[in-house]
Amino acid sequence: MSRHHRKKKKGRGHTIAIGALFVAEIAIILIIVFFFIVQGLLGKLKRVNTTPEDVVAASDETFEADSDAGEDTVSPDDLSFDADIEVMSDDEVRNLLLIGQDRREGEGRQRSDTMIICSINTRDSTLTLTSLMRDMYVPIPDYSPNRINAAYIFGGMDLLDRVIEENFGVHIDGNIEVDFDGFLNSLAYIGDLELELTEEEAEYLNGGDWEDQGGDSSDWELHEGMNVMTPDQVLAYARTRKVGKSDYDRTERQRTVMMAAFDKVKDSSLPEQLSIANKILPNLVTDMSDNEVLGYVTTVATHDLGEIKSYRVPVDGTFRSETIKKMAVLVPDLAENSAYLEAFIYRDGPKYAEVLEMDAQREAEKKAKEAEDNAA
């Protein structure tokens, strides 16, 4: 009886072992299939043009004057950018620069009007989006000081990355660029997004003329509060800077759109994600290899990155507004903003305690707003 029992137990264990081996084999096959599917999708990415002919000569540099700018308030010769900026490093943090340029079909490379550092911190499981305001007046290697967005039209990703590293101490590990049409096409594939509007934003969007970007606002009925917004409406929202605090609020709107799109894609099924990637990737341009992109995709997929953190540079109180060469610009304190970036991205440094307070205040305001909405 006891021998029969032991024999039966051995047979069940043998069956379990075979079953486990079968499951492992299936898992390996699925991983291999998934790898080749993803590799095929990555082939749809466009690669950046890095030929010397694509670089603007220093003698041909330009300055984008503002038509409504008054007299210059300071001479470039009177500005000093002396700052001992050290390049930050952390093996568990990778920084990707997301670049948006207002280029239309048939146009060459334009200025980088949207620059967002997307930082993946696997140590703290955080994803941080930090906007660099386009009107910051900074030194540009081998050129005159200029708006930071001029670096992109002069020398592309390489020069813009160098400007960020030398002025703010943040090393950029890779770049992803999208133009005007690519952004709109990508939104169309992701679908409608839920976004919250102020009364002023809703009125402005409903009354705006958005036909130049493919949208007809004549029948828009956006309202204060949460709205389910079409891709045309989302693009108009992301481009709006005549409501609120000009470009300060516009950069926040852009990060809000990115977070909403990321959450929607993240919550979709794997087949849906692959389908979206298949349609979106041809709209993107990168300087990264397939293996590098695959590595970042794997990192995001295998880490619970939690809530996305969102910031903006220059930080309030760390810059002054000036008019230089008929350009309305922001002259940042490079050392101060570099210290803030260390706290934002690396969750470290002398400004980290202050950033934690900023985060806590933002969270408290968010909860108060939710309570107010629920009470109403």
Side-chain angles (χ1 to χ4, degrees):
M1 180 71 175
S2 60
R3 262 199 310 259
H4 177 70
H5 178 72
R6 285 195 296 270
K7 184 177 181 181
K8 185 176 181 181
K9 187 175 182 180
K10 181 179 178 181
R12 184 173 63 183
H14 184 63
T15 301
I16 293 174
I18 293 176
L21 180 61
F22 178 74
V23 171
E25 289 174 344
I26 292 297
I28 292 171
I29 292 172
L30 289 175
I31 290 172
I32 293 173
V33 170
F34 177 75
F35 176 81
F36 280 108
I37 290 175
V38 173
Q39 284 285 87
L41 291 176
L42 294 179
K44 295 178 177 290
L45 276 168
K46 297 176 183 177
R47 304 299 168 175
V48 67
N49 179 10
T50 56
T51 60
E53 293 79 10
D54 202 38
V55 176
V56 175
S59 57
D60 295 328
E61 67 179 353
T62 57
F63 301 89
E64 193 177 46
D66 297 307
S67 59
D68 57 349
E71 295 298 319
D72 284 3
T73 58
V74 66
S75 168
D77 297 333
D78 294 336
L79 293 177
S80 175
F81 291 101
D82 291 337
D84 185 16
I85 304 297
E86 294 185 5
V87 179
M88 306 165 217
S89 178
D90 188 326
D91 291 340
E92 295 177 286
V93 177
R94 289 293 179 267
N95 299 308
L96 304 181
L97 184 63
L98 311 180
I99 303 168
Q101 58 170 329
D102 194 5
R103 179 184 62 190
R104 310 302 176 91
E105 187 176 353
E107 293 182 337
R109 188 177 63 226
Q110 301 298 307
R111 293 177 179 242
S112 52
D113 281 350
T114 298
M115 294 158 285
I116 299 176
I117 302 175
C118 176
S119 305
I120 304 169
N121 187 327
T122 55
R123 182 184 60 257
D124 294 341
S125 294
T126 57
L127 184 66
T128 303
L129 301 177
T130 308
S131 293
L132 302 176
M133 292 189 67
R134 64 178 186 173
D135 289 330
M136 282 193 293
Y137 186 81
V138 297
I140 299 179
D142 303 322
Y143 298 85
S144 303
N146 206 329
R147 281 190 173 108
I148 191 172
N149 67 351
Y152 190 66
I153 196 171
F154 294 164
M157 295 175 178
D158 289 343
L159 182 58
L160 181 55
D161 291 350
R162 187 178 169 192
V163 167
I164 294 170
E165 182 167 313
E166 293 188 8
N167 289 297
F168 299 103
V170 177
H171 175 73
I172 301 299
D173 297 290
N175 297 269
I176 300 173
E177 177 257 306
V178 63
D179 61 16
F180 179 93
D181 292 328
F183 183 72
L184 184 59
N185 291 338
S186 298
L187 285 176
Y189 296 132
I190 294 174
D192 296 349
L193 297 179
E194 288 191 19
L195 298 172
E196 186 170 8
L197 302 178
T198 65
E199 182 179 1
E200 188 180 13
E201 287 171 335
E203 290 180 358
Y204 178 77
L205 291 171
N206 288 334
D209 181 10
W210 308 106
E211 291 185 4
D212 66 324
Q213 63 189 38
D216 178 7
S217 62
S218 60
D219 61 347
W220 290 4
E221 297 181 353
L222 300 172
H223 54 82
E224 180 182 8
M226 293 300 298
N227 290 260
V228 178
M229 298 175 64
T230 66
D232 286 341
Q233 293 169 340
V234 172
L235 181 59
Y237 170 79
R239 288 169 57 85
T240 295
R241 63 186 181 95
K242 294 184 179 180
V243 174
K245 295 187 296 182
S246 186
D247 208 38
Y248 303 97
D249 284 352
R250 187 179 75 150
T251 60
E252 184 172 352
R253 293 185 187 101
Q254 292 167 349
R255 297 192 302 274
T256 298
V257 168
M258 287 191 57
M259 289 186 287
F262 179 82
D263 286 340
K264 182 170 183 178
V265 173
K266 183 180 66 174
D267 293 339
S268 61
S269 66
L270 180 58
E272 289 173 329
Q273 292 176 358
L274 293 174
S275 176
I276 292 172
N278 184 54
K279 295 171 182 175
I280 286 180
L281 289 179
N283 296 305
L284 307 180
V285 180
T286 186
D287 59 349
M288 293 183 286
S289 67
D290 285 354
N291 286 339
E292 287 174 322
V293 176
L294 186 58
Y296 291 121
V297 170
T298 302
T299 298
V300 172
T302 56
H303 287 77
D304 182 9
L305 296 176
E307 183 181 358
I308 303 175
K309 302 291 185 181
S310 173
Y311 304 99
R312 179 255 297 166
V313 167
V315 175
D316 290 344
T318 66
F319 67 93
R320 67 182 195 268
S321 299
E322 301 284 2
T323 301
I324 303 174
K325 294 185 177 181
K326 301 300 181 183
M327 301 184 298
V329 296
L330 310 175
V331 182
D333 182 318
L334 298 180
E336 279 284 287
N337 282 284
S338 177
Y340 274 108
L341 281 166
E342 182 181 18
F344 294 158
I345 296 173
Y346 298 93
R347 317 303 289 175
D348 197 6
K351 299 291 184 182
Y352 187 41
E354 185 177 335
V355 169
L356 288 177
E357 289 183 10
M358 291 167 53
D359 291 344
Q361 181 179 353
R362 183 185 302 177
E363 184 64 25
E365 291 173 352
K366 179 181 176 181
K367 290 182 178 179
K369 179 66 167 59
E370 290 174 351
E372 181 182 336
D373 292 341
N374 291 334

